[in-house]
Amino acid sequence: MMRIYELPDYDSMSRRAANIISAHVLLRPSCTLGLATGSTPLGIYRQLIRQYEAGDLSLEETRCVNLDEYLGLGPTHPQSYRYFMQKNFFDHININPENTHVPDGLCPDADAECARYNQVIKSLGGVDLQLLGLGHNGHIGFNEPGRSFELGTHLVDLSESTINANTRFFKSSAQVPHQALTMGIKNIMEAKQILVVVSGADKADIVRRAFAGPVSPDVPCSILQMHRDVILVGDTAALSELRKANVSIGS
Ligand code: GLP
């Protein structure tokens, strides 16, 4: 089943998605949230921080597992996803640091780290709600086009387009990591519910291919059509192409 919410702009999209996350936490404070980085979720984290500051939300018992991390970047590197999560979310709320999980980019043995991370997810009872952004080439987490849908957490070589898209965050392209540790499609599909967030006209094409095109490893996010409980929250610009594809969209 898929529910689609269309909101007029980025801020209202972020508020709606944050409300879906906080509803989960309020109903079951010890739930496990799968979290994501990228620019799209930033507004959601700001909203959740506001709800916490207003006394409307507590994450004291909540557990979080992040999708991915660059290989070679540690928690103090400003472009690491652990750093991103601390600065944009965890440092501002009452989450127990022991309940925040991000793959270890400095691990000496990537295979062992991937196995450990799968075990972490399992020990938390799986992910209750997985937040996802979409890469322009259809990647989710760092699951790039053409890879198997069967994988758990694994080491990936980043595609040229992802490296190029990420270069803006680094001083030079030579500094952009070429590998990452990511939850696999298998981990993502095992989440009980998935919340996809999209914003901006530049995502309109991939949103249509994800949800109204054929399911194919060439468009990793298209596998989400096979999940039983997906919520897509997007702004009008990001949903503009999907709307033409005759899908039912709510407000
Ligand atoms: C990165 C992350 C993805 C994210 C994507 C899109 O590659 N690994 O999880 O969805 O960027 O990011 P943005 O939201 O900035 O478009």
Side-chain angles (χ1 to χ4, degrees):
M1 191 199 78
M2 174 147 111
R3 174 171 293 277
I4 308 176
Y5 291 115
E6 178 177 335
L7 285 305
D9 52 31
Y10 178 74
D11 280 347
S12 46
M13 180 283 286
S14 301
R15 273 206 309 280
R16 179 65 58 90
N19 285 341
I20 291 167
I21 294 172
S22 54
H24 261 261
V25 173
L26 294 173
L27 290 171
R28 211 157 68 77
S30 65
C31 68
T32 299
L33 301 176
L35 297 181
T37 56
S39 49
T40 314
L42 279 173
I44 299 173
Y45 295 138
R46 276 197 294 271
Q47 290 297 331
L48 292 173
I49 292 166
R50 273 183 46 177
Q51 293 180 11
Y52 163 69
E53 287 172 347
D56 291 331
L57 179 69
S58 169
L59 292 123
E60 205 174 2
E61 296 173 43
T62 306
R63 288 91 57 89
C64 296
V65 276
N66 264 76
L67 282 167
D68 47 13
E69 178 62 283
Y70 289 115
L71 190 69
L73 301 195
T76 58
H77 190 292
Q79 293 308 328
S80 76
Y81 286 169
R82 165 56 82 175
Y83 186 93
F84 175 104
M85 291 308 298
Q86 293 300 139
K87 294 298 157 200
N88 293 304
F89 193 38
F90 298 149
D91 286 351
H92 307 281
I93 53 170
N94 64 338
I95 196 155
N96 178 346
E98 286 175 14
N99 290 340
T100 69
H101 303 277
V102 181
D104 178 7
L106 294 181
C107 62
D109 176 345
D111 287 344
E113 174 58 11
C114 291
R116 184 194 70 83
Y117 208 67
N118 285 329
Q119 196 50 44
V120 166
I121 298 167
K122 198 169 161 202
S123 72
L124 295 173
V127 173
D128 293 303
L129 177 67
Q130 177 66 56
L131 176 64
L132 286 182
L134 299 187
H136 288 105
N137 64 1
H139 73 222
I140 42 182
F142 269 135
N143 293 276
E144 298 280 26
R147 299 295 301 253
S148 159
F149 282 158
E150 302 300 318
L151 294 169
T153 307
H154 61 288
L155 178 67
V156 287
D157 295 329
L158 300 177
S159 73
E160 205 59 39
S161 84
T162 301
I163 293 169
N164 290 340
N166 288 338
T167 301
R168 64 196 154 116
F169 300 116
F170 292 82
K171 286 198 190 85
S172 75
S173 59
Q175 293 181 357
V176 188
H178 286 209
Q179 289 185 302
L181 305 167
T182 184
M183 278 192 205
I185 298 286
K186 184 167 179 285
N187 302 108
I188 292 171
M189 290 298 282
E190 282 171 358
K192 293 175 194 84
Q193 191 168 46
I194 295 179
L195 172 60
V196 184
V197 290
V198 286
S199 171
D202 58 317
K203 292 286 168 77
D205 183 53
I206 195 61
V207 171
R208 180 186 49 76
R209 293 172 69 202
F211 298 106
V215 175
S216 154
D218 294 339
V219 185
C221 54
S222 64
I223 188 70
L224 298 174
Q225 293 177 42
M226 313 292 280
H227 194 278
R228 65 182 192 292
D229 198 353
V230 175
I231 306 176
L232 170 64
V233 183
D235 59 20
T236 302
L239 298 186
S240 58
E241 288 295 321
L242 186 64
R243 191 168 263 294
K244 293 179 195 159
N246 207 16
V247 292
S248 142
I249 298 182
S251 55

